Amino acid sequence: MRAVIQRVSKASVTIDGKIKSEIDHGYLILLGCENADTIEDIEWLSKKIVNLRVMNDEEGVMNRSILDTGGDILVVSQFTLWASYKKGNRPSYLRAGSHDVTIPLYESFCRQLSADLGKEVLTGEFGADMKVALINDGPVTICMDTKNKE
């Protein structure tokens, strides 16, 4: 499971010209799943994200978690995080999980993240043509891979 976590002051997902989800202060998470991902990956990644100390404290130092600040989270499925670019110029997505595996993983991750955050996590729509807008705050962008925890 791969995630790109962006601290945002605003983010939204628009589908067919209509805003599906929108948040202010918090995280926009792009999430890519592969067939080998498990519940352990979901639990580890969710806990890591909600406890990540990249939110500013009163002195402007990244010393607080999203739990401390009460921020929101928007999660967008992103199979292209599994792009292989080693051969040629057209990326291969062979490692990206199949729909029958990744949709339940994505939904489980969002449920786990909501539970760990203590409030609903907003989402895009799996497989839709989404227009994602954001204002990256900082900028702060963190990449995580559950197969590379060290």
Side-chain angles (χ1 to χ4, degrees), residues 109-149:
F109 174 77
C110 291
R111 281 192 303 274
Q112 181 68 52
L113 193 57
S114 290
D116 291 340
L117 185 62
K119 62 180 173 179
E120 181 185 4
V121 167
L122 299 178
T123 65
E125 184 177 313
F126 197 96
D129 181 12
M130 297 177 275
K131 307 303 177 207
V132 180
L134 71 137
I135 300 173
N136 193 315
D137 182 15
V140 175
T141 302
I142 307 289
C143 298
M144 292 185 185
D145 188 324
T146 61
K147 305 302 188 266
N148 186 19
K149 295 177 185 168

mmCIF file of all heavy atoms in Angstrom, residues 109-149:
data_model
loop_
_atom_site.group_PDB
_atom_site.id
_atom_site.type_symbol
_atom_site.label_atom_id
_atom_site.label_comp_id
_atom_site.label_asym_id
_atom_site.label_seq_id
_atom_site.Cartn_x
_atom_site.Cartn_y
_atom_site.Cartn_z
ATOM 1 N N PHE A 109 -9.518 0.667 4.305
ATOM 2 C CA PHE A 109 -8.588 1.696 4.759
ATOM 3 C C PHE A 109 -9.355 2.945 5.196
ATOM 4 O O PHE A 109 -9.065 3.516 6.251
ATOM 5 C CB PHE A 109 -7.579 2.046 3.656
ATOM 6 C CG PHE A 109 -6.696 3.196 4.034
ATOM 7 C CD1 PHE A 109 -5.631 3.023 4.906
ATOM 8 C CD2 PHE A 109 -6.938 4.467 3.531
ATOM 9 C CE1 PHE A 109 -4.827 4.093 5.284
ATOM 10 C CE2 PHE A 109 -6.142 5.535 3.885
ATOM 11 C CZ PHE A 109 -5.084 5.358 4.771
ATOM 12 N N CYS A 110 -10.322 3.377 4.401
ATOM 13 C CA CYS A 110 -11.092 4.576 4.746
ATOM 14 C C CYS A 110 -11.867 4.382 6.046
ATOM 15 O O CYS A 110 -11.933 5.296 6.874
ATOM 16 C CB CYS A 110 -12.024 4.960 3.594
ATOM 17 S SG CYS A 110 -11.137 5.563 2.133
ATOM 18 N N ARG A 111 -12.432 3.193 6.259
ATOM 19 C CA ARG A 111 -13.143 2.906 7.521
ATOM 20 C C ARG A 111 -12.172 2.928 8.708
ATOM 21 O O ARG A 111 -12.471 3.499 9.758
ATOM 22 C CB ARG A 111 -13.852 1.554 7.454
ATOM 23 C CG ARG A 111 -15.156 1.579 6.695
ATOM 24 C CD ARG A 111 -15.968 0.300 6.900
ATOM 25 N NE ARG A 111 -15.249 -0.902 6.519
ATOM 26 C CZ ARG A 111 -15.202 -1.401 5.285
ATOM 27 N NH1 ARG A 111 -15.836 -0.788 4.300
ATOM 28 N NH2 ARG A 111 -14.533 -2.504 5.039
ATOM 29 N N GLN A 112 -10.992 2.294 8.544
ATOM 30 C CA GLN A 112 -10.002 2.264 9.621
ATOM 31 C C GLN A 112 -9.512 3.676 9.938
ATOM 32 O O GLN A 112 -9.378 4.060 11.098
ATOM 33 C CB GLN A 112 -8.816 1.380 9.222
ATOM 34 C CG GLN A 112 -7.747 1.262 10.288
ATOM 35 C CD GLN A 112 -8.223 0.483 11.506
ATOM 36 O OE1 GLN A 112 -8.722 -0.619 11.368
ATOM 37 N NE2 GLN A 112 -8.079 1.058 12.682
ATOM 38 N N LEU A 113 -9.252 4.457 8.893
ATOM 39 C CA LEU A 113 -8.781 5.830 9.081
ATOM 40 C C LEU A 113 -9.846 6.672 9.788
ATOM 41 O O LEU A 113 -9.525 7.466 10.676
ATOM 42 C CB LEU A 113 -8.395 6.427 7.727
ATOM 43 C CG LEU A 113 -7.597 7.721 7.731
ATOM 44 C CD1 LEU A 113 -6.294 7.574 8.515
ATOM 45 C CD2 LEU A 113 -7.312 8.156 6.302
ATOM 46 N N SER A 114 -11.107 6.488 9.427
ATOM 47 C CA SER A 114 -12.202 7.199 10.106
ATOM 48 C C SER A 114 -12.246 6.830 11.587
ATOM 49 O O SER A 114 -12.407 7.700 12.446
ATOM 50 C CB SER A 114 -13.549 6.868 9.458
ATOM 51 O OG SER A 114 -13.656 7.435 8.180
ATOM 52 N N ALA A 115 -12.099 5.545 11.879
ATOM 53 C CA ALA A 115 -12.115 5.098 13.274
ATOM 54 C C ALA A 115 -10.938 5.683 14.043
ATOM 55 O O ALA A 115 -11.106 6.177 15.168
ATOM 56 C CB ALA A 115 -12.082 3.572 13.336
ATOM 57 N N ASP A 116 -9.747 5.655 13.445
ATOM 58 C CA ASP A 116 -8.559 6.174 14.126
ATOM 59 C C ASP A 116 -8.604 7.689 14.270
ATOM 60 O O ASP A 116 -8.100 8.237 15.247
ATOM 61 C CB ASP A 116 -7.289 5.757 13.382
ATOM 62 C CG ASP A 116 -7.016 4.265 13.485
ATOM 63 O OD1 ASP A 116 -7.555 3.612 14.399
ATOM 64 O OD2 ASP A 116 -6.253 3.746 12.644
ATOM 65 N N LEU A 117 -9.214 8.372 13.311
ATOM 66 C CA LEU A 117 -9.330 9.831 13.351
ATOM 67 C C LEU A 117 -10.443 10.278 14.285
ATOM 68 O O LEU A 117 -10.397 11.367 14.834
ATOM 69 C CB LEU A 117 -9.568 10.376 11.936
ATOM 70 C CG LEU A 117 -9.599 11.881 11.756
ATOM 71 C CD1 LEU A 117 -8.257 12.512 12.145
ATOM 72 C CD2 LEU A 117 -9.961 12.244 10.320
ATOM 73 N N GLY A 118 -11.445 9.415 14.457
ATOM 74 C CA GLY A 118 -12.564 9.764 15.319
ATOM 75 C C GLY A 118 -13.652 10.553 14.620
ATOM 76 O O GLY A 118 -14.527 11.127 15.273
ATOM 77 N N LYS A 119 -13.602 10.593 13.295
ATOM 78 C CA LYS A 119 -14.657 11.243 12.517
ATOM 79 C C LYS A 119 -14.573 10.762 11.079
ATOM 80 O O LYS A 119 -13.588 10.137 10.678
ATOM 81 C CB LYS A 119 -14.560 12.762 12.591
ATOM 82 C CG LYS A 119 -13.297 13.368 12.032
ATOM 83 C CD LYS A 119 -13.367 14.874 12.178
ATOM 84 C CE LYS A 119 -12.072 15.541 11.806
ATOM 85 N NZ LYS A 119 -12.153 16.986 11.926
ATOM 86 N N GLU A 120 -15.617 11.059 10.318
ATOM 87 C CA GLU A 120 -15.702 10.576 8.949
ATOM 88 C C GLU A 120 -14.574 11.120 8.085
ATOM 89 O O GLU A 120 -14.225 12.293 8.144
ATOM 90 C CB GLU A 120 -17.039 10.974 8.332
ATOM 91 C CG GLU A 120 -17.216 10.486 6.916
ATOM 92 C CD GLU A 120 -18.504 10.979 6.270
ATOM 93 O OE1 GLU A 120 -19.233 11.771 6.886
ATOM 94 O OE2 GLU A 120 -18.762 10.553 5.133
ATOM 95 N N VAL A 121 -14.002 10.231 7.288
ATOM 96 C CA VAL A 121 -13.018 10.594 6.278
ATOM 97 C C VAL A 121 -13.775 10.737 4.960
ATOM 98 O O VAL A 121 -14.602 9.888 4.624
ATOM 99 C CB VAL A 121 -11.929 9.493 6.173
ATOM 100 C CG1 VAL A 121 -11.086 9.666 4.937
ATOM 101 C CG2 VAL A 121 -11.073 9.478 7.423
ATOM 102 N N LEU A 122 -13.512 11.804 4.230
ATOM 103 C CA LEU A 122 -14.160 12.009 2.943
ATOM 104 C C LEU A 122 -13.366 11.299 1.859
ATOM 105 O O LEU A 122 -12.178 11.024 2.024
ATOM 106 C CB LEU A 122 -14.289 13.495 2.649
ATOM 107 C CG LEU A 122 -15.125 14.287 3.662
ATOM 108 C CD1 LEU A 122 -15.145 15.758 3.303
ATOM 109 C CD2 LEU A 122 -16.524 13.739 3.774
ATOM 110 N N THR A 123 -14.030 11.000 0.739
ATOM 111 C CA THR A 123 -13.382 10.226 -0.316
ATOM 112 C C THR A 123 -13.701 10.780 -1.695
ATOM 113 O O THR A 123 -14.614 11.593 -1.855
ATOM 114 C CB THR A 123 -13.858 8.758 -0.292
ATOM 115 O OG1 THR A 123 -15.249 8.713 -0.599
ATOM 116 C CG2 THR A 123 -13.582 8.103 1.052
ATOM 117 N N GLY A 124 -12.938 10.271 -2.653
ATOM 118 C CA GLY A 124 -13.277 10.444 -4.050
ATOM 119 C C GLY A 124 -14.201 9.298 -4.426
ATOM 120 O O GLY A 124 -14.911 8.768 -3.568
ATOM 121 N N GLU A 125 -14.153 8.890 -5.693
ATOM 122 C CA GLU A 125 -14.957 7.755 -6.140
ATOM 123 C C GLU A 125 -14.049 6.810 -6.903
ATOM 124 O O GLU A 125 -13.466 7.189 -7.926
ATOM 125 C CB GLU A 125 -16.096 8.229 -7.036
ATOM 126 C CG GLU A 125 -17.026 7.141 -7.464
ATOM 127 C CD GLU A 125 -18.175 7.676 -8.295
ATOM 128 O OE1 GLU A 125 -18.786 8.671 -7.894
ATOM 129 O OE2 GLU A 125 -18.441 7.090 -9.362
ATOM 130 N N PHE A 126 -13.904 5.608 -6.408
ATOM 131 C CA PHE A 126 -12.984 4.641 -6.981
ATOM 132 C C PHE A 126 -13.273 4.460 -8.471
ATOM 133 O O PHE A 126 -14.403 4.202 -8.867
ATOM 134 C CB PHE A 126 -13.089 3.297 -6.259
ATOM 135 C CG PHE A 126 -11.925 2.395 -6.512
ATOM 136 C CD1 PHE A 126 -10.877 2.344 -5.630
ATOM 137 C CD2 PHE A 126 -11.870 1.612 -7.648
ATOM 138 C CE1 PHE A 126 -9.786 1.516 -5.859
ATOM 139 C CE2 PHE A 126 -10.802 0.777 -7.895
ATOM 140 C CZ PHE A 126 -9.748 0.738 -6.992
ATOM 141 N N GLY A 127 -12.264 4.626 -9.306
ATOM 142 C CA GLY A 127 -12.373 4.402 -10.736
ATOM 143 C C GLY A 127 -12.965 5.543 -11.541
ATOM 144 O O GLY A 127 -13.013 5.472 -12.766
ATOM 145 N N ALA A 128 -13.415 6.597 -10.881
ATOM 146 C CA ALA A 128 -14.021 7.721 -11.601
ATOM 147 C C ALA A 128 -12.942 8.638 -12.172
ATOM 148 O O ALA A 128 -11.796 8.648 -11.707
ATOM 149 C CB ALA A 128 -14.923 8.520 -10.657
ATOM 150 N N ASP A 129 -13.319 9.424 -13.164
ATOM 151 C CA ASP A 129 -12.454 10.476 -13.696
ATOM 152 C C ASP A 129 -12.621 11.677 -12.769
ATOM 153 O O ASP A 129 -13.611 12.410 -12.862
ATOM 154 C CB ASP A 129 -12.857 10.818 -15.133
ATOM 155 C CG ASP A 129 -11.973 11.895 -15.744
ATOM 156 O OD1 ASP A 129 -10.912 12.220 -15.160
ATOM 157 O OD2 ASP A 129 -12.355 12.422 -16.804
ATOM 158 N N MET A 130 -11.681 11.827 -11.855
ATOM 159 C CA MET A 130 -11.779 12.852 -10.814
ATOM 160 C C MET A 130 -10.872 14.030 -11.125
ATOM 161 O O MET A 130 -9.759 13.846 -11.620
ATOM 162 C CB MET A 130 -11.386 12.259 -9.453
ATOM 163 C CG MET A 130 -12.296 11.151 -8.978
ATOM 164 S SD MET A 130 -11.746 10.412 -7.422
ATOM 165 C CE MET A 130 -10.561 9.208 -8.031
ATOM 166 N N LYS A 131 -11.339 15.196 -10.774
ATOM 167 C CA LYS A 131 -10.526 16.409 -10.817
ATOM 168 C C LYS A 131 -10.223 16.751 -9.355
ATOM 169 O O LYS A 131 -11.127 17.067 -8.579
ATOM 170 C CB LYS A 131 -11.254 17.569 -11.497
ATOM 171 C CG LYS A 131 -11.801 17.241 -12.889
ATOM 172 C CD LYS A 131 -10.727 16.764 -13.839
ATOM 173 C CE LYS A 131 -11.324 16.391 -15.176
ATOM 174 N NZ LYS A 131 -10.548 15.403 -15.894
ATOM 175 N N VAL A 132 -8.961 16.639 -8.996
ATOM 176 C CA VAL A 132 -8.544 16.868 -7.619
ATOM 177 C C VAL A 132 -7.862 18.228 -7.542
ATOM 178 O O VAL A 132 -6.917 18.494 -8.278
ATOM 179 C CB VAL A 132 -7.583 15.758 -7.140
ATOM 180 C CG1 VAL A 132 -7.149 16.001 -5.704
ATOM 181 C CG2 VAL A 132 -8.240 14.388 -7.285
ATOM 182 N N ALA A 133 -8.361 19.067 -6.659
ATOM 183 C CA ALA A 133 -7.785 20.396 -6.456
ATOM 184 C C ALA A 133 -7.276 20.488 -5.025
ATOM 185 O O ALA A 133 -7.881 19.922 -4.106
ATOM 186 C CB ALA A 133 -8.833 21.477 -6.711
ATOM 187 N N LEU A 134 -6.158 21.171 -4.852
ATOM 188 C CA LEU A 134 -5.628 21.331 -3.500
ATOM 189 C C LEU A 134 -4.766 22.572 -3.402
ATOM 190 O O LEU A 134 -4.212 23.043 -4.394
ATOM 191 C CB LEU A 134 -4.793 20.115 -3.090
ATOM 192 C CG LEU A 134 -3.453 19.961 -3.800
ATOM 193 C CD1 LEU A 134 -2.391 19.559 -2.801
ATOM 194 C CD2 LEU A 134 -3.567 18.923 -4.895
ATOM 195 N N ILE A 135 -4.693 23.062 -2.188
ATOM 196 C CA ILE A 135 -3.715 24.079 -1.827
ATOM 197 C C ILE A 135 -2.832 23.421 -0.785
ATOM 198 O O ILE A 135 -3.257 23.183 0.351
ATOM 199 C CB ILE A 135 -4.373 25.358 -1.285
ATOM 200 C CG1 ILE A 135 -5.286 25.962 -2.339
ATOM 201 C CG2 ILE A 135 -3.301 26.351 -0.847
ATOM 202 C CD1 ILE A 135 -6.108 27.140 -1.863
ATOM 203 N N ASN A 136 -1.616 23.046 -1.213
ATOM 204 C CA ASN A 136 -0.678 22.361 -0.333
ATOM 205 C C ASN A 136 -0.167 23.383 0.666
ATOM 206 O O ASN A 136 0.300 24.455 0.296
ATOM 207 C CB ASN A 136 0.467 21.761 -1.154
ATOM 208 C CG ASN A 136 1.295 20.775 -0.370
ATOM 209 O OD1 ASN A 136 1.663 21.019 0.770
ATOM 210 N ND2 ASN A 136 1.614 19.657 -0.983
ATOM 211 N N ASP A 137 -0.255 23.066 1.941
ATOM 212 C CA ASP A 137 0.118 23.964 3.025
ATOM 213 C C ASP A 137 1.546 23.663 3.456
ATOM 214 O O ASP A 137 1.821 22.641 4.052
ATOM 215 C CB ASP A 137 -0.851 23.762 4.193
ATOM 216 C CG ASP A 137 -0.585 24.678 5.360
ATOM 217 O OD1 ASP A 137 0.149 25.665 5.186
ATOM 218 O OD2 ASP A 137 -1.115 24.397 6.454
ATOM 219 N N GLY A 138 2.445 24.553 3.130
ATOM 220 C CA GLY A 138 3.840 24.379 3.533
ATOM 221 C C GLY A 138 4.812 24.700 2.423
ATOM 222 O O GLY A 138 5.498 25.695 2.476
ATOM 223 N N PRO A 139 4.941 23.900 1.414
ATOM 224 C CA PRO A 139 4.270 22.622 1.172
ATOM 225 C C PRO A 139 4.831 21.509 2.055
ATOM 226 O O PRO A 139 6.014 21.475 2.352
ATOM 227 C CB PRO A 139 4.565 22.340 -0.300
ATOM 228 C CG PRO A 139 5.854 23.025 -0.577
ATOM 229 C CD PRO A 139 5.883 24.230 0.321
ATOM 230 N N VAL A 140 3.935 20.623 2.441
ATOM 231 C CA VAL A 140 4.307 19.428 3.195
ATOM 232 C C VAL A 140 3.731 18.229 2.448
ATOM 233 O O VAL A 140 2.522 18.137 2.279
ATOM 234 C CB VAL A 140 3.759 19.460 4.636
ATOM 235 C CG1 VAL A 140 4.056 18.151 5.351
ATOM 236 C CG2 VAL A 140 4.343 20.638 5.409
ATOM 237 N N THR A 141 4.613 17.338 1.987
ATOM 238 C CA THR A 141 4.209 16.120 1.282
ATOM 239 C C THR A 141 5.066 14.972 1.786
ATOM 240 O O THR A 141 6.292 15.054 1.756
ATOM 241 C CB THR A 141 4.380 16.282 -0.242
ATOM 242 O OG1 THR A 141 3.609 17.401 -0.690
ATOM 243 C CG2 THR A 141 3.943 15.031 -0.990
ATOM 244 N N ILE A 142 4.399 13.908 2.255
ATOM 245 C CA ILE A 142 5.085 12.730 2.793
ATOM 246 C C ILE A 142 4.641 11.509 1.995
ATOM 247 O O ILE A 142 3.442 11.331 1.763
ATOM 248 C CB ILE A 142 4.708 12.497 4.282
ATOM 249 C CG1 ILE A 142 4.928 13.749 5.131
ATOM 250 C CG2 ILE A 142 5.419 11.274 4.849
ATOM 251 C CD1 ILE A 142 6.360 14.120 5.381
ATOM 252 N N CYS A 143 5.588 10.670 1.595
ATOM 253 C CA CYS A 143 5.273 9.424 0.890
ATOM 254 C C CYS A 143 5.521 8.253 1.831
ATOM 255 O O CYS A 143 6.545 8.208 2.524
ATOM 256 C CB CYS A 143 6.148 9.271 -0.348
ATOM 257 S SG CYS A 143 5.915 10.577 -1.549
ATOM 258 N N MET A 144 4.568 7.319 1.881
ATOM 259 C CA MET A 144 4.692 6.129 2.717
ATOM 260 C C MET A 144 4.397 4.889 1.903
ATOM 261 O O MET A 144 3.543 4.913 1.017
ATOM 262 C CB MET A 144 3.724 6.184 3.901
ATOM 263 C CG MET A 144 4.038 7.235 4.904
ATOM 264 S SD MET A 144 2.909 7.075 6.317
ATOM 265 C CE MET A 144 3.394 8.517 7.246
ATOM 266 N N ASP A 145 5.105 3.812 2.230
ATOM 267 C CA ASP A 145 4.904 2.526 1.586
ATOM 268 C C ASP A 145 4.925 1.472 2.693
ATOM 269 O O ASP A 145 5.910 1.369 3.429
ATOM 270 C CB ASP A 145 6.013 2.264 0.571
ATOM 271 C CG ASP A 145 5.772 1.043 -0.284
ATOM 272 O OD1 ASP A 145 5.211 0.037 0.217
ATOM 273 O OD2 ASP A 145 6.155 1.073 -1.461
ATOM 274 N N THR A 146 3.852 0.710 2.815
ATOM 275 C CA THR A 146 3.766 -0.261 3.910
ATOM 276 C C THR A 146 4.752 -1.412 3.749
ATOM 277 O O THR A 146 4.977 -2.159 4.705
ATOM 278 C CB THR A 146 2.337 -0.835 4.047
ATOM 279 O OG1 THR A 146 1.986 -1.499 2.827
ATOM 280 C CG2 THR A 146 1.332 0.256 4.356
ATOM 281 N N LYS A 147 5.346 -1.558 2.585
ATOM 282 C CA LYS A 147 6.353 -2.601 2.384
ATOM 283 C C LYS A 147 7.760 -2.074 2.693
ATOM 284 O O LYS A 147 8.735 -2.789 2.561
ATOM 285 C CB LYS A 147 6.317 -3.126 0.939
ATOM 286 C CG LYS A 147 4.954 -3.630 0.486
ATOM 287 C CD LYS A 147 4.402 -4.748 1.347
ATOM 288 C CE LYS A 147 3.161 -5.352 0.776
ATOM 289 N NZ LYS A 147 1.903 -4.821 1.258
ATOM 290 N N ASN A 148 7.844 -0.824 3.093
ATOM 291 C CA ASN A 148 9.128 -0.193 3.419
ATOM 292 C C ASN A 148 8.938 0.614 4.696
ATOM 293 O O ASN A 148 8.964 1.840 4.684
ATOM 294 C CB ASN A 148 9.572 0.706 2.259
ATOM 295 C CG ASN A 148 10.954 1.268 2.459
ATOM 296 O OD1 ASN A 148 11.735 0.751 3.263
ATOM 297 N ND2 ASN A 148 11.262 2.317 1.750
ATOM 298 N N LYS A 149 8.744 -0.077 5.813
ATOM 299 C CA LYS A 149 8.409 0.568 7.080
ATOM 300 C C LYS A 149 9.610 1.113 7.832
ATOM 301 O O LYS A 149 9.451 1.778 8.843
ATOM 302 C CB LYS A 149 7.649 -0.415 7.965
ATOM 303 C CG LYS A 149 6.310 -0.791 7.370
ATOM 304 C CD LYS A 149 5.611 -1.817 8.225
ATOM 305 C CE LYS A 149 4.334 -2.255 7.541
ATOM 306 N NZ LYS A 149 3.746 -3.421 8.143
#
